[in-house]
Amino acid sequence: MFAMRPRLATPATLTRGPRNRCLPRGKGAGRAARAGALGLFAAAPCWSQEARPAAAFLPADSAVLIELAAGAEFVAALEALPLEPPWQPPPAGRAPWRRDYEQLEGFLGAGLPAVLSRLADRGAALGLVPEGPDWQACLVLWAADEQRSAAELARLLDEVARRYGAPKLFEQPTERRGEALLWSLGEELLVARVGPRVLVSGSRALLCEGLDRLDQPADLGPLARPGPRSARALPAPDCGVWMWMDPTRLRGASTEIDWNGLDGLLTRPEGLLGLGAGLAGLPRAGDWALAAEAGQDRLRLALCGFGLEALPPGLLPAAGPRPRAFLRHGDNIASAVLHRDWPTATRERGRLFEPGALAQFSAKLEELQIFFGGLRLSEDVLARLSPWWQVALRPVPFPAGTAPGLPLPGAVLFLEVPDDPRLAHALEAAFQTLISLSNVESAQQGRPPLRLSAKLAGQRSYSVATPMPLAEGEVGDLRYNLAPALCLTDGGLLLASHEALLLDALDELDAETAPAGRAERLELSGAELADWAEAQVQGLELLARLRGRALQLRPWIEWLATLALEARVEYGPDALRFEARLERRP
Amino acid sequence: MSGRHTELLLPFGSDGERFGRAEAAHLLRRAVFGASPERLASALQAGLEATVSELVAAAKAPPDEPGGSGIEAFGLLPLVQAFLVGRALAPDGGELARARLAERLMWMWHGHFATSDHKVRDAVLMHRQLALLRRLGGGDFRALVRAMLVDGALLIWLDGALNTAGDPNENLARELLELFCLGRGHYSETDVREAARGLSGWRVEGRRVWFDPARFDAGEKRLLGRSGPLDCDGVADAVLAHPAAPRWVARRLVSTFVCDSPWPELEAALAEELRRRDFEVLPTLATLLRSRAFFAPAVRGNKIASPLEFVARARHALGLELAPDAAVRLCSAAGQAPLLPPSVKGWDGGAAWAHPNAWLARGRAALELARLAPAPAGLEPLEAAHTWAENLWPGQDRPAWWPALEQSLRRAAPAAPGAFIAEALLRAPEAHLV
Amino acid sequence: MLCRRQFLIQGLSAGVVLPLLSGLRARPDRADRALVVVQLTGGNDSLNCVLPLDQERWYRERPTLSGVAAKAHRLSAGLGLHPALSALAERYRRGQVALLHGVGYPQPDRSHFRSLDIWHTGRVPGDPRGPREAQERQGWLGRAAARLGAQAQPAALFVGEGQPPLAFFEGGRAPAAVPGRESLEQRTELPEALLAALEQPGGEGAQGLLSEATRAARRLGGLMEQAARLELRAAWPRGGLSDRLALVARSIRLGLPPSLYGVELDGFDTHLSQARPHERLLAELDGALGAFAAELEHSGDLDRVCVLVWSEFGRRVHENGSGGTDHGAAGAVWLLGGGVAGGEHGQRPDLERLEDGDVPYSTDLRALYACLERDWLGLTPERPAPAGSAPLELFA
């Protein structure tokens, strides 16, 4: 995630034997540490009450805290989930992850879950402290009992020692400190064990801080700070990883991420109206917490931002109207409910956007104003749209005899608009102008135009642009996927890429009336996408062949068919929560 | 070249000539865009008679590809172009490749009935026309002409759809007589007018082609000695009954498969053969491909390859994995854009391919094709060069510039010997002779 | 074959007398001249480039678009140039730009393809033509190139990607074409000795022909590569058109064979919200042309080069409902070069006398082509200007 380089670097010397590499250098070590941390430990009761959690022994000054519980199951579940697409051959970046993981396991001399189950039955935690451009890390491992801890640690140290040609080097600890036994691996790494707990760090100071805290039962270390404390108050996953980060200190330490750019998202239309105020605002939160949980056939990731005082007021949908629950039927390949506050953005653009972006935005509004004949785009149109947008991507139920040879999924958009004939008229006029313009283009290319007409569906009228009807037995080309239709009704605007979708959506409109929650959501159904691809396999493979690539679609279809993704953004009084869930259906 | 009319079509080998590697390669280059070494070997083993029979038999029923008609669902010209070229590039060993003679004929007829999407502007109609040319191109020429006279793309191209009783348009009729069936000098202007009247009444709307009796000129016509209320079938029959028709078709076959410049005696002999075979193209072609004239020394290696022939032959002989859309691009740059012939006369061919403007593009094509060449596995560069040259020009001596290539290989020691060798081979004039 | 210029240079180095030089320099030989044709595809809005500042109707019909009048370059009374065309305005003041008003043809066709074909072939509706001409691929520049003689091969060169325009085709054959920027001649790894060996005249018949073709092609490729390596002296802006014109400029500076060059700039079909997109395009055009003229002026070649800027039609006077304009009829044509007769030519469009809402043509494009062929290229015009058209004096 962040480009951290914890200094678990090569020890410069060993007391005996030739100069050798003790540990993989720099980056590799960082990744290994991360993999190890994300790794896991055996099943353990979570957040046991009798003793302080492992994280309590991390440096109080940590900017990043990572805590693991019930790790073995987490890892097993992760491995069982088909997260990797069936690339053939795998693209360039994939292989290193595998390589690093295998390297780590090789180094440990045993499978990762096994090692961790012996050393960290009851929990593990990693703390990262930025020091200038570098980072210091401290790792705490808490085993079920002392013997297991001691035995596993001894074995590991033995492995390390043997690798560097000095087999008995670490048989005895290099020093003792109270009840703790310490080993120095070269100059840069210290390992300490006290009872069932093992601490590892590159910095003596941090290590000792942890050791000292053992004598102060009331001291919770970093967990006493308000940030981690409120983060931990969130519903924690049953088993998995929990992480807390301090964005302010991260900025100072990590120069590779464009923090200004991320912050600036909220002051630009692309960020505010593209990603949405929620996601765009996340970089500005005071604290971040991340939780990941992998269970049977399921991976869940939650990212929260607290302390949102830095956000401009009124942008988040904490108050305000709730969207109607709509466009949620089972056939959707994808559907989304998005909060894009066009009204506030256009009304208060002077205050919200940075100068450069503001000028561009206003210019664009001016250019598009033409379409709305008479009405002012910002005040009369955009300001009155609902901020809740609902979009769905679905296979189109083409009426007989109009289906194109390669049917593509169509899209439907629903937006609540106030019941105002002038507004309705302006929106319809804009639609018709767009169609006319595209017809001019088509005429130039010698293609037949789309024919605009107004039709009735029950009591409602709608505008639709249809392509020329097909002759008997003729199959339409790609253009027949489009028959755009617009309907303004019941305080809502429905825009669909094909008339048939519009008619279906109108039926849904009649059925659903209950309001939904104030969360943004996105859903992707791998099964539906796979069904669509399955039906078009020949066409897609033909296309690939013409490009000279032999595409194996079957593995992809099978892979997609089992997956479903759901993501939500929820808004609390002063916290944002982004949650994504990937599910595997058999 | 002359030769006694009757002797020209005698089968090759009847005088003891041997069907060796060079002969087999010549046959496959001209008939099916070249061949892989394996296919060449099996042709050699089977012998001339059997090979030609097999080519013809497979061409009678060219297979459809999976997703074949799916190309019309896209309706995009570049995809249709790539699709058609892709069939000529299908690797030897597959079912599509066995019927490649049908593709070769299709491209020949495409140049003959040269219709350009430039005016038709509908990739689906163009594809349908080419599919028709492939389907009927090997059979009775008369059936082919009848079908083409009511083909949507051709009707649009030659204004056949604007030809009505009250307002005749002679474009289609003129080209039918001048370019498709008879050639200049065998008909009069009156014939053109009368033929135009007989071809009237057809309409094209969108992709639908239909006959509208209201627009048809149903009166008496006198065309080339025939009279009656001729419709388009009647016109076709009248035209093709003319003695010059077989000669014209024979000329097309000779200029496509034998030599660029006219050979009157062979054309006459082949016309006779065509007549005897009742206008069936594949059997006539079979006779030609087995004939002495076809294997005459002056014929071999003396025809300039069209861009498609150059590219396809390189692909088959060297096993280059060339993507169809890249092939379309290379051919278009070198002057042969599929479905976009420069005029009604099609592509002039022959020396016209060697225009310096287009030749720059051939050089670039050679470079790009060479980049697809595999590294010569396990072979020394020099050995690989010999093998590949043998694949491109089986049974022939190494060309005059061979020592220069050997020297360059030794001196330069290129990092990618495969690409180096392939480029040299493909830039050579011999690679552009078919 | 030495062209005049090379002879002069050699003569100088041999100590030939200067007066000879000055006399000859005054009017470059026709054989040396180059014509660069810049095609603005889409239908350039002539009334938004060459602004009729004194016509009330223009302001009335174009409420938003006429806003450019405020910052326009004033060329003369009532005539302005769009603010983005600064380099062109500067050259106009120096007398190096000829502005030819109202160029078109009878029975204007508002379809891009048909109008382009008409401009490319020089055959207007109503021209008597053979039955097959509609299907034949050849254009006026291709035919001119064929008549310029076979010695300087290739006589015409199109710089750009994709299909060269029909104007350059001759006898169905495509003109020499090179892509604008990179991959001019993708670097071949084969050594010179091998390439030369491959081109050896081999035998007679087809093989000999091919060797010749390969040699000629390599020569062309080599020339273009040579051109691409030449150092540019003027300051060129970035952009596709600049790159292409830069290659043309280099080729002209080196005295390479082509006398006819073609480049294209697309995007002028501005039906919607025209103001900003058109401004951007004009800025690109102006930047490239300005740098082109500066480059050739530096090397003293501007006198023998004429740049023709044209578009397949102008646009309507009336602004449409979307802030753009629709297809019109006649438009203005510019010629830029040291040898052109600077100033206005033809009749200024009178917006009170429109035909069907469009500016009618006052100069037939056939007259323009005849003038270019006769007065600039030194060829007998293939088709004379239509009867009754006023003679054009576009060149000094």
PDB file of all heavy atoms in Angstrom, chain A residues 363 366-368 370-371 433 437 440-441 443-446, chain C residues 110-113 269 271-273 276-277 321-323 327:
ATOM      1  N   ALA A 363     -16.881  27.088 -17.786  1.00  0.00           N
ATOM      2  CA  ALA A 363     -16.844  27.151 -19.251  1.00  0.00           C
ATOM      3  C   ALA A 363     -17.645  26.012 -19.850  1.00  0.00           C
ATOM      4  O   ALA A 363     -18.405  26.174 -20.795  1.00  0.00           O
ATOM      5  CB  ALA A 363     -15.405  27.105 -19.737  1.00  0.00           C
ATOM      6  N   GLU A 366     -21.261  26.583 -19.596  1.00  0.00           N
ATOM      7  CA  GLU A 366     -21.691  27.531 -20.616  1.00  0.00           C
ATOM      8  C   GLU A 366     -21.885  26.870 -21.954  1.00  0.00           C
ATOM      9  O   GLU A 366     -22.844  27.108 -22.666  1.00  0.00           O
ATOM     10  CB  GLU A 366     -20.611  28.600 -20.779  1.00  0.00           C
ATOM     11  CG  GLU A 366     -20.999  29.966 -20.284  1.00  0.00           C
ATOM     12  CD  GLU A 366     -19.859  30.933 -20.516  1.00  0.00           C
ATOM     13  OE1 GLU A 366     -19.608  31.222 -21.698  1.00  0.00           O
ATOM     14  OE2 GLU A 366     -19.220  31.303 -19.534  1.00  0.00           O
ATOM     15  N   GLU A 367     -20.921  26.039 -22.315  1.00  0.00           N
ATOM     16  CA  GLU A 367     -21.014  25.374 -23.611  1.00  0.00           C
ATOM     17  C   GLU A 367     -22.250  24.510 -23.703  1.00  0.00           C
ATOM     18  O   GLU A 367     -22.910  24.452 -24.729  1.00  0.00           O
ATOM     19  CB  GLU A 367     -19.785  24.480 -23.813  1.00  0.00           C
ATOM     20  CG  GLU A 367     -18.617  25.166 -24.470  1.00  0.00           C
ATOM     21  CD  GLU A 367     -17.464  24.204 -24.667  1.00  0.00           C
ATOM     22  OE1 GLU A 367     -17.674  23.127 -25.237  1.00  0.00           O
ATOM     23  OE2 GLU A 367     -16.356  24.528 -24.219  1.00  0.00           O
ATOM     24  N   LEU A 368     -22.564  23.806 -22.618  1.00  0.00           N
ATOM     25  CA  LEU A 368     -23.694  22.873 -22.670  1.00  0.00           C
ATOM     26  C   LEU A 368     -25.025  23.581 -22.499  1.00  0.00           C
ATOM     27  O   LEU A 368     -26.072  23.020 -22.788  1.00  0.00           O
ATOM     28  CB  LEU A 368     -23.544  21.807 -21.579  1.00  0.00           C
ATOM     29  CG  LEU A 368     -22.361  20.885 -21.800  1.00  0.00           C
ATOM     30  CD1 LEU A 368     -22.202  19.949 -20.605  1.00  0.00           C
ATOM     31  CD2 LEU A 368     -22.560  20.053 -23.053  1.00  0.00           C
ATOM     32  N   ILE A 370     -26.396  25.618 -24.184  1.00  0.00           N
ATOM     33  CA  ILE A 370     -27.089  25.717 -25.473  1.00  0.00           C
ATOM     34  C   ILE A 370     -28.185  24.676 -25.608  1.00  0.00           C
ATOM     35  O   ILE A 370     -29.215  24.915 -26.206  1.00  0.00           O
ATOM     36  CB  ILE A 370     -26.078  25.488 -26.597  1.00  0.00           C
ATOM     37  CG1 ILE A 370     -24.878  26.396 -26.413  1.00  0.00           C
ATOM     38  CG2 ILE A 370     -26.718  25.676 -27.922  1.00  0.00           C
ATOM     39  CD1 ILE A 370     -25.058  27.757 -26.920  1.00  0.00           C
ATOM     40  N   PHE A 371     -27.925  23.512 -25.051  1.00  0.00           N
ATOM     41  CA  PHE A 371     -28.882  22.433 -25.244  1.00  0.00           C
ATOM     42  C   PHE A 371     -30.208  22.666 -24.565  1.00  0.00           C
ATOM     43  O   PHE A 371     -31.194  22.048 -24.895  1.00  0.00           O
ATOM     44  CB  PHE A 371     -28.328  21.128 -24.662  1.00  0.00           C
ATOM     45  CG  PHE A 371     -27.347  20.461 -25.549  1.00  0.00           C
ATOM     46  CD1 PHE A 371     -26.002  20.515 -25.272  1.00  0.00           C
ATOM     47  CD2 PHE A 371     -27.776  19.783 -26.657  1.00  0.00           C
ATOM     48  CE1 PHE A 371     -25.098  19.899 -26.090  1.00  0.00           C
ATOM     49  CE2 PHE A 371     -26.871  19.156 -27.484  1.00  0.00           C
ATOM     50  CZ  PHE A 371     -25.535  19.213 -27.201  1.00  0.00           C
ATOM     51  N   THR A 433     -32.111  17.155 -29.250  1.00  0.00           N
ATOM     52  CA  THR A 433     -31.004  17.813 -29.948  1.00  0.00           C
ATOM     53  C   THR A 433     -29.833  16.862 -30.109  1.00  0.00           C
ATOM     54  O   THR A 433     -29.221  16.780 -31.170  1.00  0.00           O
ATOM     55  CB  THR A 433     -30.535  19.038 -29.159  1.00  0.00           C
ATOM     56  OG1 THR A 433     -31.655  19.800 -28.799  1.00  0.00           O
ATOM     57  CG2 THR A 433     -29.572  19.868 -29.982  1.00  0.00           C
ATOM     58  N   LEU A 437     -28.174  15.727 -33.668  1.00  0.00           N
ATOM     59  CA  LEU A 437     -26.771  15.909 -33.998  1.00  0.00           C
ATOM     60  C   LEU A 437     -26.148  14.597 -34.441  1.00  0.00           C
ATOM     61  O   LEU A 437     -25.387  14.544 -35.408  1.00  0.00           O
ATOM     62  CB  LEU A 437     -26.003  16.440 -32.786  1.00  0.00           C
ATOM     63  CG  LEU A 437     -26.122  17.939 -32.586  1.00  0.00           C
ATOM     64  CD1 LEU A 437     -25.411  18.325 -31.315  1.00  0.00           C
ATOM     65  CD2 LEU A 437     -25.533  18.665 -33.765  1.00  0.00           C
ATOM     66  N   VAL A 440     -27.076  13.847 -37.959  1.00  0.00           N
ATOM     67  CA  VAL A 440     -26.311  14.593 -38.967  1.00  0.00           C
ATOM     68  C   VAL A 440     -25.021  13.846 -39.243  1.00  0.00           C
ATOM     69  O   VAL A 440     -24.616  13.635 -40.389  1.00  0.00           O
ATOM     70  CB  VAL A 440     -26.015  16.009 -38.451  1.00  0.00           C
ATOM     71  CG1 VAL A 440     -24.982  16.679 -39.334  1.00  0.00           C
ATOM     72  CG2 VAL A 440     -27.282  16.823 -38.423  1.00  0.00           C
ATOM     73  N   GLU A 441     -24.381  13.421 -38.175  1.00  0.00           N
ATOM     74  CA  GLU A 441     -23.153  12.647 -38.291  1.00  0.00           C
ATOM     75  C   GLU A 441     -23.393  11.394 -39.123  1.00  0.00           C
ATOM     76  O   GLU A 441     -22.626  11.070 -40.028  1.00  0.00           O
ATOM     77  CB  GLU A 441     -22.722  12.261 -36.867  1.00  0.00           C
ATOM     78  CG  GLU A 441     -21.415  11.565 -36.756  1.00  0.00           C
ATOM     79  CD  GLU A 441     -20.247  12.493 -36.920  1.00  0.00           C
ATOM     80  OE1 GLU A 441     -20.364  13.663 -36.509  1.00  0.00           O
ATOM     81  OE2 GLU A 441     -19.249  12.054 -37.472  1.00  0.00           O
ATOM     82  N   ALA A 443     -25.734  10.768 -41.273  1.00  0.00           N
ATOM     83  CA  ALA A 443     -26.042  11.069 -42.678  1.00  0.00           C
ATOM     84  C   ALA A 443     -24.764  11.294 -43.447  1.00  0.00           C
ATOM     85  O   ALA A 443     -24.609  10.850 -44.586  1.00  0.00           O
ATOM     86  CB  ALA A 443     -26.942  12.298 -42.744  1.00  0.00           C
ATOM     87  N   GLN A 444     -23.827  11.956 -42.823  1.00  0.00           N
ATOM     88  CA  GLN A 444     -22.547  12.197 -43.480  1.00  0.00           C
ATOM     89  C   GLN A 444     -21.838  10.902 -43.801  1.00  0.00           C
ATOM     90  O   GLN A 444     -21.137  10.787 -44.785  1.00  0.00           O
ATOM     91  CB  GLN A 444     -21.649  13.035 -42.568  1.00  0.00           C
ATOM     92  CG  GLN A 444     -22.097  14.465 -42.451  1.00  0.00           C
ATOM     93  CD  GLN A 444     -22.030  15.174 -43.775  1.00  0.00           C
ATOM     94  OE1 GLN A 444     -21.094  14.991 -44.541  1.00  0.00           O
ATOM     95  NE2 GLN A 444     -23.032  15.946 -44.071  1.00  0.00           N
ATOM     96  N   GLN A 445     -22.005   9.936 -42.939  1.00  0.00           N
ATOM     97  CA  GLN A 445     -21.305   8.674 -43.149  1.00  0.00           C
ATOM     98  C   GLN A 445     -22.123   7.723 -43.996  1.00  0.00           C
ATOM     99  O   GLN A 445     -21.743   6.580 -44.177  1.00  0.00           O
ATOM    100  CB  GLN A 445     -21.075   7.995 -41.787  1.00  0.00           C
ATOM    101  CG  GLN A 445     -20.541   8.907 -40.745  1.00  0.00           C
ATOM    102  CD  GLN A 445     -19.073   8.712 -40.558  1.00  0.00           C
ATOM    103  OE1 GLN A 445     -18.566   7.618 -40.790  1.00  0.00           O
ATOM    104  NE2 GLN A 445     -18.373   9.737 -40.160  1.00  0.00           N
ATOM    105  N   GLY A 446     -23.277   8.167 -44.471  1.00  0.00           N
ATOM    106  CA  GLY A 446     -24.072   7.284 -45.299  1.00  0.00           C
ATOM    107  C   GLY A 446     -24.817   6.240 -44.500  1.00  0.00           C
ATOM    108  O   GLY A 446     -25.305   5.264 -45.063  1.00  0.00           O
TER     109      GLY A 446
ATOM    110  N   ARG C 110     -23.355  19.602 -50.136  1.00  0.00           N
ATOM    111  CA  ARG C 110     -23.026  19.762 -48.736  1.00  0.00           C
ATOM    112  C   ARG C 110     -22.604  18.464 -48.053  1.00  0.00           C
ATOM    113  O   ARG C 110     -22.490  18.420 -46.835  1.00  0.00           O
ATOM    114  CB  ARG C 110     -24.177  20.408 -47.987  1.00  0.00           C
ATOM    115  CG  ARG C 110     -24.338  21.834 -48.403  1.00  0.00           C
ATOM    116  CD  ARG C 110     -25.326  22.593 -47.551  1.00  0.00           C
ATOM    117  NE  ARG C 110     -25.501  23.923 -48.067  1.00  0.00           N
ATOM    118  CZ  ARG C 110     -26.214  24.226 -49.138  1.00  0.00           C
ATOM    119  NH1 ARG C 110     -26.837  23.259 -49.775  1.00  0.00           N
ATOM    120  NH2 ARG C 110     -26.309  25.465 -49.560  1.00  0.00           N
ATOM    121  N   SER C 111     -22.383  17.444 -48.836  1.00  0.00           N
ATOM    122  CA  SER C 111     -21.905  16.206 -48.230  1.00  0.00           C
ATOM    123  C   SER C 111     -20.382  16.238 -48.209  1.00  0.00           C
ATOM    124  O   SER C 111     -19.749  16.576 -49.195  1.00  0.00           O
ATOM    125  CB  SER C 111     -22.376  15.020 -49.074  1.00  0.00           C
ATOM    126  OG  SER C 111     -21.456  13.965 -48.987  1.00  0.00           O
ATOM    127  N   HIS C 112     -19.805  15.886 -47.076  1.00  0.00           N
ATOM    128  CA  HIS C 112     -18.347  15.907 -46.967  1.00  0.00           C
ATOM    129  C   HIS C 112     -17.706  15.142 -48.104  1.00  0.00           C
ATOM    130  O   HIS C 112     -16.791  15.609 -48.775  1.00  0.00           O
ATOM    131  CB  HIS C 112     -17.897  15.254 -45.663  1.00  0.00           C
ATOM    132  CG  HIS C 112     -18.144  16.077 -44.439  1.00  0.00           C
ATOM    133  ND1 HIS C 112     -17.567  17.302 -44.238  1.00  0.00           N
ATOM    134  CD2 HIS C 112     -18.904  15.835 -43.361  1.00  0.00           C
ATOM    135  CE1 HIS C 112     -17.983  17.783 -43.081  1.00  0.00           C
ATOM    136  NE2 HIS C 112     -18.785  16.918 -42.531  1.00  0.00           N
ATOM    137  N   PHE C 113     -18.160  13.910 -48.282  1.00  0.00           N
ATOM    138  CA  PHE C 113     -17.463  13.033 -49.222  1.00  0.00           C
ATOM    139  C   PHE C 113     -17.560  13.531 -50.639  1.00  0.00           C
ATOM    140  O   PHE C 113     -16.572  13.562 -51.363  1.00  0.00           O
ATOM    141  CB  PHE C 113     -18.007  11.605 -49.119  1.00  0.00           C
ATOM    142  CG  PHE C 113     -17.874  11.073 -47.734  1.00  0.00           C
ATOM    143  CD1 PHE C 113     -18.970  10.923 -46.917  1.00  0.00           C
ATOM    144  CD2 PHE C 113     -16.623  10.764 -47.227  1.00  0.00           C
ATOM    145  CE1 PHE C 113     -18.823  10.470 -45.623  1.00  0.00           C
ATOM    146  CE2 PHE C 113     -16.471  10.310 -45.934  1.00  0.00           C
ATOM    147  CZ  PHE C 113     -17.579  10.173 -45.140  1.00  0.00           C
ATOM    148  N   ASP C 269     -15.396  20.157 -38.551  1.00  0.00           N
ATOM    149  CA  ASP C 269     -16.836  19.994 -38.704  1.00  0.00           C
ATOM    150  C   ASP C 269     -17.546  20.386 -37.420  1.00  0.00           C
ATOM    151  O   ASP C 269     -18.015  19.545 -36.663  1.00  0.00           O
ATOM    152  CB  ASP C 269     -17.149  18.534 -39.070  1.00  0.00           C
ATOM    153  CG  ASP C 269     -18.566  18.367 -39.549  1.00  0.00           C
ATOM    154  OD1 ASP C 269     -19.180  19.377 -39.923  1.00  0.00           O
ATOM    155  OD2 ASP C 269     -19.046  17.220 -39.551  1.00  0.00           O
ATOM    156  N   HIS C 271     -20.337  21.523 -35.665  1.00  0.00           N
ATOM    157  CA  HIS C 271     -21.772  21.792 -35.583  1.00  0.00           C
ATOM    158  C   HIS C 271     -22.173  22.293 -34.220  1.00  0.00           C
ATOM    159  O   HIS C 271     -23.261  22.826 -34.052  1.00  0.00           O
ATOM    160  CB  HIS C 271     -22.558  20.505 -35.836  1.00  0.00           C
ATOM    161  CG  HIS C 271     -22.569  20.106 -37.268  1.00  0.00           C
ATOM    162  ND1 HIS C 271     -23.398  20.677 -38.194  1.00  0.00           N
ATOM    163  CD2 HIS C 271     -21.851  19.188 -37.929  1.00  0.00           C
ATOM    164  CE1 HIS C 271     -23.186  20.121 -39.370  1.00  0.00           C
ATOM    165  NE2 HIS C 271     -22.258  19.214 -39.243  1.00  0.00           N
ATOM    166  N   LEU C 272     -21.324  22.038 -33.250  1.00  0.00           N
ATOM    167  CA  LEU C 272     -21.738  22.223 -31.872  1.00  0.00           C
ATOM    168  C   LEU C 272     -20.720  23.057 -31.136  1.00  0.00           C
ATOM    169  O   LEU C 272     -19.542  22.753 -31.150  1.00  0.00           O
ATOM    170  CB  LEU C 272     -21.835  20.832 -31.231  1.00  0.00           C
ATOM    171  CG  LEU C 272     -22.073  20.732 -29.753  1.00  0.00           C
ATOM    172  CD1 LEU C 272     -23.415  21.303 -29.418  1.00  0.00           C
ATOM    173  CD2 LEU C 272     -21.998  19.284 -29.357  1.00  0.00           C
ATOM    174  N   SER C 273     -21.193  24.116 -30.478  1.00  0.00           N
ATOM    175  CA  SER C 273     -20.318  24.927 -29.637  1.00  0.00           C
ATOM    176  C   SER C 273     -18.997  25.198 -30.302  1.00  0.00           C
ATOM    177  O   SER C 273     -17.956  24.743 -29.851  1.00  0.00           O
ATOM    178  CB  SER C 273     -20.045  24.207 -28.318  1.00  0.00           C
ATOM    179  OG  SER C 273     -21.169  24.184 -27.543  1.00  0.00           O
ATOM    180  N   ARG C 276     -14.727  27.563 -29.042  1.00  0.00           N
ATOM    181  CA  ARG C 276     -13.441  27.118 -28.525  1.00  0.00           C
ATOM    182  C   ARG C 276     -12.732  26.090 -29.402  1.00  0.00           C
ATOM    183  O   ARG C 276     -11.542  26.229 -29.692  1.00  0.00           O
ATOM    184  CB  ARG C 276     -13.583  26.582 -27.105  1.00  0.00           C
ATOM    185  CG  ARG C 276     -12.957  27.497 -26.084  1.00  0.00           C
ATOM    186  CD  ARG C 276     -13.342  27.082 -24.663  1.00  0.00           C
ATOM    187  NE  ARG C 276     -14.592  27.669 -24.252  1.00  0.00           N
ATOM    188  CZ  ARG C 276     -14.694  28.864 -23.703  1.00  0.00           C
ATOM    189  NH1 ARG C 276     -13.633  29.597 -23.482  1.00  0.00           N
ATOM    190  NH2 ARG C 276     -15.875  29.342 -23.363  1.00  0.00           N
ATOM    191  N   PRO C 277     -13.433  25.042 -29.860  1.00  0.00           N
ATOM    192  CA  PRO C 277     -12.736  24.086 -30.712  1.00  0.00           C
ATOM    193  C   PRO C 277     -12.143  24.734 -31.963  1.00  0.00           C
ATOM    194  O   PRO C 277     -11.014  24.436 -32.349  1.00  0.00           O
ATOM    195  CB  PRO C 277     -13.818  23.072 -31.106  1.00  0.00           C
ATOM    196  CG  PRO C 277     -14.858  23.215 -30.066  1.00  0.00           C
ATOM    197  CD  PRO C 277     -14.804  24.609 -29.575  1.00  0.00           C
ATOM    198  N   GLY C 321     -28.632  26.473 -33.405  1.00  0.00           N
ATOM    199  CA  GLY C 321     -29.074  26.561 -32.016  1.00  0.00           C
ATOM    200  C   GLY C 321     -28.066  26.039 -31.012  1.00  0.00           C
ATOM    201  O   GLY C 321     -28.223  26.220 -29.813  1.00  0.00           O
ATOM    202  N   SER C 322     -27.037  25.370 -31.447  1.00  0.00           N
ATOM    203  CA  SER C 322     -26.098  24.763 -30.501  1.00  0.00           C
ATOM    204  C   SER C 322     -24.772  25.506 -30.460  1.00  0.00           C
ATOM    205  O   SER C 322     -23.764  24.944 -30.068  1.00  0.00           O
ATOM    206  CB  SER C 322     -25.823  23.314 -30.896  1.00  0.00           C
ATOM    207  OG  SER C 322     -26.994  22.687 -31.299  1.00  0.00           O
ATOM    208  N   GLY C 323     -24.759  26.733 -30.922  1.00  0.00           N
ATOM    209  CA  GLY C 323     -23.513  27.483 -30.840  1.00  0.00           C
ATOM    210  C   GLY C 323     -22.533  27.093 -31.908  1.00  0.00           C
ATOM    211  O   GLY C 323     -21.361  27.442 -31.838  1.00  0.00           O
ATOM    212  N   HIS C 327     -23.194  22.982 -42.500  1.00  0.00           N
ATOM    213  CA  HIS C 327     -22.455  23.008 -43.768  1.00  0.00           C
ATOM    214  C   HIS C 327     -22.957  24.100 -44.685  1.00  0.00           C
ATOM    215  O   HIS C 327     -24.159  24.320 -44.815  1.00  0.00           O
ATOM    216  CB  HIS C 327     -22.628  21.676 -44.490  1.00  0.00           C
ATOM    217  CG  HIS C 327     -22.116  20.526 -43.686  1.00  0.00           C
ATOM    218  ND1 HIS C 327     -22.262  19.230 -44.109  1.00  0.00           N
ATOM    219  CD2 HIS C 327     -21.466  20.466 -42.515  1.00  0.00           C
ATOM    220  CE1 HIS C 327     -21.725  18.429 -43.228  1.00  0.00           C
ATOM    221  NE2 HIS C 327     -21.235  19.144 -42.227  1.00  0.00           N
TER     222      HIS C 327
END
